[in-house]
Amino acid sequence: MPTAVEQTAARGLEGVVANESSICYVFGEEGRLIYRGYDINDLADHSTFEETAYLLLNGDLPTREQLKGFSSDLKAAQKIDRVVQRVIRDAPTNANPMDVLRTAVSASAFVDPDRGNNGREAEYRKAVRLIAQLPTMVATFHRLRNGEKPLAPRRGLSLAANFLYLISGKTPDDELEHAFDVALILHADHELNASTFAARVIAATLADVHGAVTGATAALAGPLHGGANTEVMKMLLEIQSPEGAEAWIHNALAQKRKIMGFGHRVYRTEDPRAAHLRRMSETLGSRAGQPQWFAIQRTVEDVMRREKGLYCNVDFYSGSMYYVMGIPLDLYTPIFAVSRVSGWCAHVLEQHADNRLIRPRAEYVGHMNRRWVPVRKRG
Ligand code: ACO
């Protein structure tokens, strides 16, 4: 008689090492993060999103020439095909932008020039197109739902500045562009987080890049993952003022509410990305004449550390930073995707370079040895 697997499941796969990777690593105890061996603080201080995306995909920082070529490939691929435009246009104006993005990514497989070709070079070209096009997809829907004409991407701008231009019609000043670019660098990859693992599981069946990125986008949308940044801002709006923050958070904890933007599966100390976002959120908040959100957040942070021993994660200060930049709440998670697509694609390429199907086992806890009975005899 067959028996079930006699192993205990690691709930949520906590602590399980699922594959080798040379893309990114989270040092949970120390609060350190590296992309391809480079410390995230160095990249945030000195790099650009384009350079970081190249690093993730190729393994090394680009030379001047390589960066020029990569940036011009991105710019050449920014426009989205009519078929994808139509899919976005057909979405109801009250659709969730993450649902629209997921659908647009999936639809872009119909018209990808390399469709059907899963060779390494074709997959790299698909990755470049997806990195270039996600900003246009998000902004196209945003403009349409506001009754505005989608704008054409501007080739002279960086990916960060172009995204801000596409959603608002205004070219950002240097400070806003730089802050947004740093936010994109910080979100670009994070080892085997849920959406990246989803992408790798899909890719490991030898499914295509678009399928893997579609699935990853779906996984990112959840409030326990990338969806938390929007929830953080909803919470700050509910708290309203710094004076009410301490009482609000005590009350929420007493009700056993999960506080969005706190906790992490791997970090046991501060998420190194949060320090950059905290600084930028404070600076941009005062610049926008809205210092209250930062003040509320400092109180929430203090209480969470004192009462729960929990530190904030990447989603805590990104929400308030985007808010004071005038970006609507439901675009925060799509912005996460605009950056993370670079990491997802790097992982798909790595998975396909040395593929093995990802197929774990379950610890079976259900019934055994039941006998089928006809429907008329079932009580
Ligand atoms: N607020 C209150 N309590 C929390 C929080 C939180 N944000 N996070 C963890 N805890 C508590 C849990 O209640 C649990 O306590 P218990 O052992 O007394 O029941 C303990 O800490 C462990 O929490 P788990 O949820 O089991 O930890 P897990 O590793 O499964 O989850 C997660 C990590 C999902 C990030 C969790 O901390 C959480 O839900 N945070 C809020 C959502 C969030 O900010 N997500 C973004 C994560 S970063 C990213 O994906 C980009």
Side-chain angles (χ1 to χ4, degrees), residues 301-330:
E301 242 192 307
D302 286 347
V303 175
M304 287 301 283
R305 196 163 314 168
R306 229 175 27 236
E307 301 288 318
K308 302 283 295 181
L310 288 174
Y311 294 85
C312 65
N313 56 49
V314 70
D315 287 322
F316 192 56
Y317 284 104
S318 56
S320 54
M321 173 180 146
Y322 301 149
Y323 188 79
V324 297
M325 290 175 76
I327 301 173
L329 268 70
D330 62 2

Side-chain angles (χ1 to χ4, degrees), residues 241-261:
S241 71
E243 297 72 42
E246 176 124 17
W248 191 97
I249 197 79
H250 279 298
N251 187 33
L253 288 177
Q255 290 173 28
K256 305 249 175 277
R257 271 174 75 166
K258 266 224 163 152
I259 310 301
M260 292 293 136

Side-chain angles (χ1 to χ4, degrees), residues 14 187 190 193 220 223-226 228-229 232 253 256-266 268 271 273 304 308 310 313-315 336 340:
E14 180 164 2
H187 286 83
H190 210 230
N193 60 90
L220 184 73
L224 295 187
H225 191 11
N229 49 16
V232 167
L253 288 177
K256 305 249 175 277
R257 271 174 75 166
K258 266 224 163 152
I259 310 301
M260 292 293 136
F262 283 88
H264 200 273
R265 177 58 67 78
V266 184
R268 290 295 158 255
D271 179 334
R273 302 167 298 177
M304 287 301 283
K308 302 283 295 181
L310 288 174
N313 56 49
V314 70
D315 287 322
F336 197 148
R340 184 58 59 86

Side-chain angles (χ1 to χ4, degrees), residues 3-11 13 359-368:
T3 54
V5 176
E6 285 174 10
Q7 265 180 1
T8 321
R11 256 171 69 78
L13 298 185
R359 201 300 188 191
R361 295 298 317 271
E363 177 191 357
Y364 183 69
V365 295
H367 294 287
M368 289 277 196

